Amino acid sequence: MAMWKELLKEGVKRVRDFENSRTLPVTRLPRLGLALGGGFARGVAHVGVMRVLEQEGIHISCIAGISVGALIAATYASGAPLESIADRACRTTFRDFARWHLSRYGLASNDRLEGYLYEFCGKRRIEELKIPLAIATTDLLSGHSVYFTKGETGPALRASCAYPGLFEPVEIDGHVLVDGFVGTPVPVDAARVLGAEVVIAVYLGMGTAKEKPRNMVEILWRSFSIMQNNSLRDIYDRCDVVIEPDVSSFMWDDFHRGRELVAAGEAAARAALPKIRSLMLPRGFPTVDEKTGIKFKLAPPTSPLP
């Protein structure tokens, strides 16, 4: 009888030890999410930021992008080398991704953007890419940001790059979608949705303009950039690091100055390295959701936004 009591006691102890082990935090590196803002040609600076992270061995777990940031994010998530992305960007012209098409909804169509993207990743779906990706857009009907984390890459990218007034909106699943920057200047929340525990936001602000706008496109671009600058304060509160490359001297169509833009991104990223390194240290993370008791696979999930 005493033997059975001891066996029962030992069994209860093992069960309790097992349950306790499920709730102990696991020590690991945090999952790093990169959130890339828009900026037309200025987006080439994103390549410089990512190049520095690669050189320093800082692993990007997931990536989110708006407009040109979404294009850079999608090509990188496909596995394309950064050098190839930079080379193609330097040879880009307006006709590569758009064509003038006057309508009641815009001055041009960006339907050629899908072919531009497929040069790097083919017709793969978002969920088939090598790095988890979120493409941020804005729904004109609800006024909310819409994040695409699965589905066809091309249409979602076109929607994210549908600059209001210039490009026609893109309709997907009942949403009338335009450029993601209308909802937020940098898709920090989209990176959180993917499970990022540390988020680096890359913002390509306009800075102070030294010359008058040359045409209607520049008037639109500068007007929206001012709106973005005024809403940036909220981004600082919601991310861990904000990198702001000095791109104030570049125009929206300065793709031919791609190498300079890459260098601007590199310089800004290197200046932010001490803070990034301080955040990317092993730490304890919970293994079980305290509310549901469900064990996490990689990181605590984040509820999607409306």
Side-chain angles (χ1 to χ4, degrees):
M1 191 67 173
M3 180 182 71
W4 287 108
K5 286 184 177 180
E6 287 299 320
L7 288 174
L8 182 60
K9 184 189 286 186
E10 180 64 22
V12 171
K13 180 178 181 300
R14 289 188 179 186
V15 170
R16 286 176 176 170
D17 288 345
F18 174 75
E19 287 299 317
N20 289 337
S21 68
R22 293 176 72 241
T23 58
L24 289 175
V26 60
T27 300
R28 58 172 173 80
L29 292 174
R31 299 186 74 215
L32 174 64
L34 196 59
L36 306 180
F40 284 92
R42 291 176 170 183
V44 183
H46 291 314
V47 177
V49 172
M50 291 188 287
R51 177 181 287 173
V52 169
L53 295 178
E54 276 195 356
Q55 291 172 346
E56 298 298 320
I58 299 172
H59 175 68
I60 299 172
S61 299
C62 56
I63 188 167
I66 282 173
S67 195
V68 68
L71 174 60
I72 299 293
T75 53
Y76 186 72
S78 74
L82 288 174
E83 196 59 35
S84 297
I85 298 173
D87 286 341
R88 183 65 180 90
C90 291
R91 294 183 283 108
T92 296
T93 65
F94 183 81
R95 290 183 178 181
D96 288 329
F97 57 85
R99 59 186 175 86
W100 295 112
H101 177 68
L102 183 62
S103 75
R104 69 174 71 180
Y105 299 114
L107 302 176
S109 169
N110 64 3
D111 53 358
R112 293 178 180 173
L113 189 59
E114 293 191 35
Y116 188 96
L117 173 67
Y118 294 156
E119 291 182 27
F120 293 95
C121 61
K123 293 190 177 182
R124 279 187 285 178
R125 295 171 65 84
I126 296 173
E127 63 268 30
E128 296 172 347
L129 300 176
K130 296 181 178 180
I131 300 175
L133 168 70
I135 295 176
T137 67
T138 306
D139 185 5
L140 287 179
L141 300 180
S142 68
H144 293 147
S145 294
V146 176
Y147 305 138
F148 288 89
T149 58
K150 60 182 179 179
E152 294 184 52
T153 312
L157 179 63
R158 285 184 54 216
S160 185
C161 295
Y163 202 80
L166 176 59
F167 294 122
E168 299 166 331
V170 177
E171 295 188 33
I172 301 176
D173 296 334
H175 299 288
V176 180
L177 302 169
V178 294
D179 200 308
F181 86 84
V182 176
T184 178
V186 187
V188 173
D189 293 328
R192 299 286 188 196
V193 166
L194 292 173
E197 294 149 340
V198 171
V199 176
I200 297 175
V202 186
Y203 177 66
L204 307 173
M206 184 184 70
T208 303
K210 298 179 180 179
E211 299 178 0
K212 293 193 301 182
R214 298 173 297 179
N215 49 52
M216 184 175 67
V217 174
E218 287 192 5
I219 292 173
L220 286 170
W221 172 55
R222 292 187 183 185
S223 298
F224 284 128
S225 293
I226 292 170
M227 292 169 59
Q228 282 187 312
N229 287 342
N230 291 335
S231 63
L232 185 61
R233 299 181 188 89
D234 185 45
I235 295 298
Y236 280 94
D237 296 331
R238 299 193 340 252
C239 69
D240 301 283
V241 180
V242 177
I243 296 177
E244 297 184 66
D246 183 5
V247 292
S248 58
S249 64
F250 297 88
M251 301 303 294
W252 71 275
D253 56 349
D254 274 344
F255 290 101
H256 64 284
R257 298 177 64 188
R259 295 298 171 189
E260 298 173 64
L261 284 160
V262 171
E266 288 180 331
R270 293 211 170 275
L273 273 178
K275 186 171 183 179
I276 295 172
R277 287 199 183 102
S278 71
L279 294 167
M280 294 304 293
L281 295 173
R283 66 177 87 161
F285 289 92
T287 56
V288 173
D289 189 316
E290 294 180 358
K291 295 181 179 179
T292 64
I294 298 174
K295 191 171 184 179
F296 295 133
K297 291 182 179 180
L298 290 175
T302 306
S303 300
L305 298 178

